Every structure is written in C-alpha cells, then in structure tokens.
Amino acid sequence: MEFFELSKLPVNLWRNGAGESREICCFPPDTGNFNWRASIASLASSGEFASFDDVDRAITLLEGGEVLLDGVGNSGHVLKRHQPFFFPGDKRVYAELTQGMMSMNFNLITQRARCKARTRVADRTFSTLGTRGGIAYVLSGEWQFGDKLLRPDQGAWWSDGLHTVRLLQNTGTLLYSEITYL
C-alpha cells in the first residue's frame, strides 16, 4: 500500500491555462500505457476536458463550485460535491464553472478494455473486496489503513489484496474506488 498527501503531490499546469493537476498514481507505474490512473485537478476556468480514447472516467467534485459537464448526455450533468459521476473519456466534454468559482475534482481513468472502477463515498468501516487495485481519499474524519492514520486530504492506493479501512470517529467520509480487471 502506498500513501499520499494532497499538499505533497507535484503540480502540473495545464497548457490551456484553465487549471492544474496532481497525479496520485498510475498503474503500472512509470509507463505511458497505464491500466488505471488517479489524479486531483483544479479547474480555474471553464473549458474543454482533454479527450482520451478507449477509457472511462470517474470524476468527483471535492471542493468549490458546481461544474456543468456538457456533452455527457442530452442535457449535460451537474457535478455536485462528493457525488461520483462516470462518463466515457473519449467524449468531447465542456466543463462550465456554474458558480464562477474554482473547483477541485478527484479523477480516475481506466482503460475500458482492461479494467473498470467502482467509486463510492464510504461513511463506515469496511473491507476491500480483494480486487486488483484501489484508491481511497479522506474527505472528513480520521481513518486507519493498517497501522497508518489518515486525515482529510490524505489517502492510499494499492495494486491488490484485502484491506480493512476503519473509521476512527463517529462520523467521517472517504472517497473510495476499487479496480476490477476484465
């Protein structure tokens, strides 16, 4: 299991100037031919998302104003805080900051022919299903991963195995994705 903290992730500015991203992990690591990849991105202004062929995306608004995604359905979709949304990564999607304020989003990209992701928000202790990988990001509360204590803006990712994730307080939320290979 690998651990990360938002404030320590390297920042990459987008070429179009509309935002920045912080890559959390890419699996397998250090390859351009990934099976799945996770990052946190900040949108500073409205603009078109990068398109990726043959991938599926899961995006979750972490902070900031709601974002209208145009091009993902007949009437678009409004990203609301802590509500994961899935869409094909090869669609042309325009993101509009509806409240005029920056948004920060958790992004998970999976190669459609190789794997799929299941993303949810957990609010209690649970065990992973032993899939081929996963990632968790603390939204609130304190969570224990093995012998490691994680607080908001911290997380963990793994490539396989069963793991128990314990909520250490009465309330807390955790963004959580499991990766299943096809």
Side-chain angles (χ1 to χ4, degrees):
M1 185 173 294
E2 301 290 328
F3 298 96
F4 66 92
E5 189 169 333
L6 178 62
S7 65
K8 295 180 181 174
L9 295 173
V11 176
N12 296 306
L13 300 176
W14 295 350
R15 285 180 291 217
N16 66 6
E20 61 188 28
S21 64
R22 294 170 172 88
E23 185 172 292
I24 299 167
C25 64
C26 183
F27 194 81
D30 302 322
T31 69
N33 190 17
F34 65 87
N35 292 325
W36 61 279
R37 183 176 83 192
S39 65
I40 294 178
S42 298
L43 285 132
S45 62
S46 299
E48 192 169 319
F49 275 8
S51 176
F52 298 100
D53 291 336
D54 304 319
V55 302
D56 289 318
R57 295 178 76 160
I59 185 170
T60 306
L61 177 64
L62 298 174
E63 295 178 8
E66 294 177 351
V67 179
L68 171 63
L69 299 180
D70 190 23
V72 294
N74 294 337
S75 61
H77 177 82
V78 177
L79 286 179
K80 296 189 180 291
R81 194 167 189 253
H82 300 169
Q83 295 180 11
F85 178 69
F86 300 86
F87 65 96
D90 40 17
K91 283 193 163 245
R92 293 188 64 144
V93 175
Y94 184 83
E96 180 184 341
L97 301 177
T98 61
Q99 298 166 332
M101 53 194 292
M102 186 166 67
S103 74
M104 188 166 65
N105 306 286
F106 183 91
N107 298 288
L108 183 64
I109 299 174
T110 55
Q111 290 291 338
R112 186 176 300 135
R114 293 185 228 154
C115 56
K116 66 179 182 173
R118 181 175 157 245
T119 301
R120 64 186 172 99
V121 175
D123 61 0
R124 63 183 57 99
T125 296
F126 65 95
S127 294
T128 64
L129 300 176
T131 57
R132 293 284 305 278
I135 185 164
Y137 182 72
V138 177
L139 302 171
S140 66
E142 293 183 340
W143 295 79
Q144 184 174 349
F145 289 73
D147 61 354
K148 182 94 169 164
L149 173 67
L150 296 179
R151 293 185 171 94
D153 295 333
Q154 297 178 325
W157 67 273
W158 54 94
S159 58
D160 60 15
L162 296 169
H163 305 282
T164 297
V165 183
R166 296 191 194 296
L167 175 61
L168 298 179
Q169 301 171 326
N170 291 333
T171 61
T173 53
L174 178 85
L175 184 63
Y176 168 67
S177 295
E178 283 192 307
I179 309 298
T180 304
Y181 283 71
L182 305 176

